[in-house]
Amino acid sequence: MFDLDDTLIDWWGSLTRCLESFADDDDVAAAHAYIRQNFWESHPDHDFVWHRNTWQLWEARQRLWHDVFAHRHADERRIMLDRFEENLWVGFFPDVVPMLDHLVHEIRLAVLTNNEYVEREIKRLRLHDWFEFALFPGAPLKPDPAAFLAGCERLGLEPSRVAYVGDSVRADVLGAAAAGLTPIWIDRWNDPWPDRPTHVQRITSFDELPEVLGVNAPT
């Protein structure tokens, strides 16, 4: 099973490319600073990011745009927001689709996400081309073990037979481990994690998944 946001699809890169298409460097820097301060969570005991909600800049744009671009006049902010809404496309990381095209013939694949708009994403991204299902568990959400167990039940598999791939240490890795799944941490940001448990496998690219999962590599 896979997480969706910041694991399969690239919010940071997509938001940045969209803003760069019409905004200047100061605007892009302001958006980056706001995301880091308001949407990224630091580990309570160590100085590293262990959870990212970058997508909230889009979902809460009507409410937050004034704060993000406070240095701009209100009329300019409205124009920028219109362009943002017209131009933003959040796509897969470059390494995702080629690997999914391979893995779909090797193992069963599914998505478990806290994104309540997953039905929209299924259609937009054609997730059913690769995944048996894309599940929003409702309450409780990740990292509650019950969320992961709901995905296992849908697969008809015991948790010990399911691996979970996600970017968030808090929501994905620790939650999956607590539920008895095999956690695979996709660390695209090269984040430090001083006390990472030995059973947590770390990868930096989807290209590493076949070896970690014990399946055939693409030829």
Side-chain angles (χ1 to χ4, degrees):
M1 285 196 295
F2 292 83
D3 171 52
L4 178 63
D5 300 307
D6 295 320
T7 296
L8 297 174
I9 60 176
D10 179 13
W11 277 99
W12 180 268
S14 300
L15 290 169
T16 298
R17 288 188 291 271
C18 179
L19 288 170
E20 289 176 341
S21 71
F22 63 83
D24 62 25
D25 291 344
D26 288 342
D27 295 320
V28 176
H32 285 176
Y34 195 90
I35 289 169
R36 288 189 178 98
Q37 180 177 353
N38 294 277
F39 302 147
W40 290 4
E41 302 174 21
S42 294
H43 191 283
D45 300 319
H46 302 287
D47 186 21
F48 76 97
V49 177
W50 75 333
H51 185 70
R52 292 176 169 88
N53 283 319
T54 307
W55 61 274
Q56 287 187 351
L57 183 63
W58 168 256
E59 295 300 342
R61 61 196 180 280
Q62 296 288 346
R63 176 171 55 87
L64 297 175
W65 209 253
H66 178 275
D67 297 335
V68 178
F69 300 111
H71 59 288
R72 288 291 186 181
H73 186 275
D75 291 340
E76 292 179 309
R77 289 197 298 269
R78 281 194 292 272
I79 292 172
M80 290 172 62
L81 179 57
D82 289 343
R83 290 181 178 177
F84 187 59
E85 292 181 332
E86 291 171 2
N87 296 334
L88 180 66
W89 170 262
V90 183
F92 294 104
F93 286 98
D95 59 354
V96 167
V97 170
M99 186 52 62
L100 293 179
D101 285 343
H102 171 70
L103 290 177
V104 72
H105 301 293
E106 298 286 330
I107 54 175
R108 298 173 65 190
L109 304 176
V111 169
L112 176 70
T113 174
N114 283 357
N115 187 334
E116 62 183 303
Y117 304 104
V118 67
E119 291 299 324
R120 176 191 67 190
E121 298 295 71
I122 289 172
K123 296 176 182 178
R124 184 177 73 87
L125 299 167
R126 297 179 59 182
L127 294 179
H128 285 323
D129 285 357
W130 305 282
F131 301 105
E132 293 184 25
F133 59 83
L135 176 64
F136 170 70
L141 297 173
K142 300 180 302 179
D144 192 303
F148 296 92
L149 295 178
C152 294
E153 182 177 1
R154 181 81 172 264
L155 285 168
L157 295 173
E158 292 297 318
S160 60
R161 297 186 61 197
V162 179
Y164 190 82
V165 182
D167 70 292
S168 170
V169 171
R170 178 179 66 79
D172 298 328
V173 177
L174 299 181
L181 287 73
T182 299
I184 300 173
W185 180 37
I186 175 71
D187 178 22
R188 298 185 184 276
W189 298 85
N190 196 29
D191 285 326
W193 187 359
D195 58 350
R196 175 166 60 97
T198 57
H199 68 275
V200 173
Q201 301 191 71
R202 173 185 176 271
I203 61 173
T204 60
S205 166
F206 268 42
D207 295 338
E208 301 170 62
L209 276 174
E211 181 177 358
V212 170
L213 295 172
V215 300
N216 293 322
T219 56

